[in-house]
Amino acid sequence: MPEPYDVITMGRIGVDIYPLQTGVSLARVDTFGKFLGGSPTNVAVAGARLGRRTAVITRTGQDAFGEYLHHQLREFGVDDRWVSAVEEYPTPVTFCEIFPPDHFPLYFYRQPKAPDLEIREPELDLDAVRDARIFWMTGTGLSAEPSRASTLAALRARSAGADGPGADCGGPAAPASRSRTATVFDLDWRPMFWDGGDHSSVAPARYREALAHATVAVGNLDECAIATGEREPYAAARALLAAGVELAVVKQGPKGVLAVHRDGTTADVPPLPVRVVNGLGAGDAFGGALCHGLLAGWEIGRIMRYANAAGAIVASRLACSSAMPYPHEVEQALADGAVGAPGAPPAEPLPTGVPPTGAPPTGASPTGATP
C-alpha cells in the first residue's frame, strides 16, 4: 500500500502575472513576471519547501498555461497526478498591483468559468484523500458545482471511519484514520466568486456544512464573519469550535494571530516585524507552515510563531510560489526576531528593475494580508 501523503490540497490554481515594479499601477507597468498561483496550490508548494510530501487536486485549461503549471508543480516537488485538463475553459490568470506596505489589489480572470471549479467527484481518488495526513480545502471550492459536491465528498471521506470527535487531531481514531493529523478548512472568502458577492445568501450555509467535517479552520476576520457571523477574534474562534472544528486559527492583521483549541489551549501570537514588499502569498506560506507544525506535533504557540515567520518571509519577497521559504530561513527569522534584521542576509533579492519600496519595517502581520 503506498505511503499516505503528508498534505493533499484541493482547489484553485492559475498563473499569477505580477509586475516587476512596485508602487506602479497596471496601466504604467512595463515588465511582468509569470508565476504558479492559486492559494491551495501555493500551500502545497509551501509544504514541499518545508520537506513534506505534497500533492494538489485541481484542474487547468488544456493550453500552454496549463502545461506551464504542470512544469512548475514538478519543479517545486508537488505531485501533479491529480491535475487534469478541461478543454472547454482556459487556465485562469491573475494580475496584481503592488503598493507596499499594505495595498495589493488582485484582478482575477476566471471567465467564463475556472477549470478548478470543474473538479468532479467520480474522478477523485478518495482513498488517497482519506489517508492523507492532512487534507486542505478552501471556501472557493464551495462556490460552484461540481466543485462544491466534490469538495464535500472529499470531506465526507475524511470523516468516514473516525471514532468520535477529534480523531483527525490526535484523539481516538479508527484504524483507517490513525495516520491522519488534520482536515483543514481555509475559509478563503473571495466574494467575486460567489453569486451576490459579500451579500451572498448561500455562502454562510455552505461554510457551515463544510465546517462540520473539518478539524481545523483558518481565516482572517472577514472570512470568520462569513463563516460564523462573528468578527471579534475570540468570539469568532469560539463560534468555529462550536461549528465542529478542534482548532480555530484567526488571523488578526497587525495584531497577529489567535489560535484556540477545544481543549482550552490558547495562543495569541504577535506578528514578526517585516519590511513588506508584497503581502500576497504570505497567508499561503502561513498555511504550509501550519501543516508542517501540525505534522511535527508541535504545541500550538510554536506552530503559530513558525507560521507567522514563514508568512513574513514571503511578504518580504515579490512572488508567491517561488518565494516560499525553506526551514533554515524560517529558523533564522525566528532567531533574529524579524525578517531582514540588521546583520541578517537578505531573504531574496528583488528581480532586476524593481525599485526599493522605501517602506519602513512594519508590524503588520502577513498572515492577515489576504485581500
Side-chain angles (χ1 to χ4, degrees):
M1 183 176 180
E3 186 72 16
Y5 285 84
D6 290 325
V7 181
I8 294 178
T9 69
M10 180 175 178
R12 204 163 67 246
I13 194 171
V15 177
D16 286 346
I17 308 294
Y18 283 3
L20 299 183
Q21 297 159 277
T22 63
V24 178
S25 71
L26 284 181
R28 296 176 52 220
V29 172
D30 296 318
T31 56
F32 294 85
K34 180 178 65 176
F35 306 95
L36 170 76
S39 180
T41 304
N42 281 339
V43 169
V45 171
R49 278 279 171 93
L50 296 173
R52 299 300 177 174
R53 182 170 178 249
T54 70
V56 61
I57 300 169
T58 189
R59 306 195 74 180
T60 71
Q62 193 169 307
D63 52 28
F65 275 156
E67 294 175 13
Y68 165 76
L69 294 175
H70 275 281
H71 173 76
Q72 287 293 286
L73 287 168
R74 294 168 190 149
E75 285 287 308
F76 289 128
V78 177
D79 197 323
D80 65 345
R81 69 181 62 196
W82 297 305
V83 182
S84 59
V86 178
E87 187 174 353
E88 297 89 339
Y89 304 123
T91 299
V93 175
T94 302
F95 287 85
C96 81
E97 293 176 313
I98 301 176
F99 294 98
D102 58 4
H103 186 52
F104 309 100
L106 280 171
Y107 303 88
F108 292 97
Y109 291 82
R110 292 168 59 87
Q111 291 82 21
K113 185 179 184 181
D116 54 58
L117 294 175
E118 283 290 299
I119 301 172
R120 298 182 179 275
E121 182 178 348
E123 299 165 1
L124 293 177
D125 186 341
L126 291 178
D127 289 338
V129 170
R130 181 198 65 223
D131 295 339
R133 297 180 68 192
I134 290 179
F135 175 65
W136 179 288
M137 46 73 63
T138 76
T140 296
L142 303 173
S143 65
E145 296 291 5
S147 173
R148 174 178 172 265
S150 300
T151 302
L152 291 173
L155 289 172
R156 286 192 294 269
R158 296 286 293 179
S159 296
D163 185 16
D168 281 355
C169 271
S177 66
R178 281 179 184 152
S179 67
R180 298 186 207 161
T181 299
T183 301
V184 184
F185 182 3
D186 177 2
L187 301 180
D188 181 45
W189 174 241
R190 304 285 182 174
M192 69 286 292
F193 299 158
W194 291 79
D195 290 340
D198 281 315
H199 304 289
S200 172
S201 59
V202 299
R206 292 184 179 178
Y207 271 56
R208 287 193 297 271
E209 188 175 7
L211 282 168
H213 297 282
T215 62
V216 179
V218 184
N220 62 30
L221 295 176
D222 289 337
E223 293 164 342
C224 288
I226 292 295
T228 69
E230 300 285 354
R231 291 191 59 86
E232 193 281 322
Y234 280 89
R238 289 192 296 268
L240 290 169
L241 296 178
V245 304
E246 297 288 323
L247 175 65
V249 179
V250 181
K251 303 185 226 182
Q252 305 177 76
K255 294 184 179 179
V257 61
L258 169 69
V260 180
H261 195 278
R262 179 165 291 181
D263 66 8
T265 305
T266 299
D268 199 342
V269 178
L272 205 64
V274 56
R275 186 181 297 273
V276 174
V277 173
N278 183 1
L280 302 174
D284 303 332
F286 180 97
L290 169 65
C291 292
H292 180 64
L294 290 171
L295 290 166
W298 296 341
E299 55 89 15
I300 292 175
R302 181 181 179 187
I303 295 173
M304 295 304 115
R305 289 189 293 273
Y306 193 94
N308 256 359
I313 289 169
V314 172
S316 75
R317 300 174 173 179
L318 182 72
C320 292
S321 53
S322 61
M324 297 300 165
Y326 293 97
H328 71 275
E329 295 175 307
V330 182
E331 296 294 350
Q332 185 65 58
L334 288 169
D336 292 339
V339 174
E348 179 185 77
L350 291 175
T352 302
V354 180
T357 67
T362 175
S365 171
T367 64
T370 303

